[in-house]
Amino acid sequence: MQKNIEIIAYAFPVKLDKELTSAIVLMSVAPNCCYGDVLKLNDLIYVEITNPKVRIRENQLVKILGKLTVKTKILENQTSRFMYWIKADAITIESK
């Protein structure tokens, strides 16, 4: 099942196409260092970005409009799993 949503969260780029971001992981908090909170599976959202790809920095606040799917997805590397993922229709960079 898919649902159209709008969400604002902190981005962590995980896949780049040249200098543009093609996939991110959304987090409700921006990690400050390796000693920060350990996020659980349901604290993370994987976002696929098709067009337009944008340049996103780590821990940048972004607004995503897209279709949310709730289903465990295993990425190509077979080690990362996500319960929530979004196919982004639009992305904007937010100011804090």
Side-chain angles (χ1 to χ4, degrees):
M1 181 175 129
Q2 292 186 333
K3 181 173 176 131
N4 289 326
I5 66 157
E6 176 180 310
I7 186 168
I8 297 174
Y10 293 97
F12 184 84
V14 292
K15 193 185 244 183
L16 299 173
D17 182 13
K18 299 187 181 172
E19 292 186 15
L20 301 178
T21 307
S22 57
I24 59 175
V25 173
L26 291 181
M27 302 171 287
S28 60
V29 296
N32 293 325
C33 72
C34 58
Y35 299 109
D37 292 340
V38 176
L39 299 174
K40 298 176 187 145
L41 181 63
N42 63 347
D43 291 330
L44 305 170
I45 302 172
Y46 185 84
V47 180
E48 296 175 8
I49 303 167
T50 50
N51 284 318
K53 293 178 183 171
V54 293
R55 188 177 298 176
I56 299 174
R57 293 176 293 134
E58 186 176 331
N59 297 333
Q60 194 164 28
L61 199 59
V62 296
K63 178 165 55 171
I64 306 286
L65 290 113
K67 292 177 181 48
L68 173 70
T69 301
V70 179
K71 179 181 175 185
T72 301
K73 180 177 183 168
I74 301 172
L75 299 183
E76 303 93 32
N77 64 12
Q78 302 297 314
T79 59
S80 299
R81 296 172 188 253
F82 293 90
M83 186 184 314
Y84 307 110
W85 48 284
I86 297 173
K87 181 143 186 160
D89 294 323
I91 298 174
T92 55
I93 308 298
E94 296 289 301
S95 57
K96 294 184 181 183

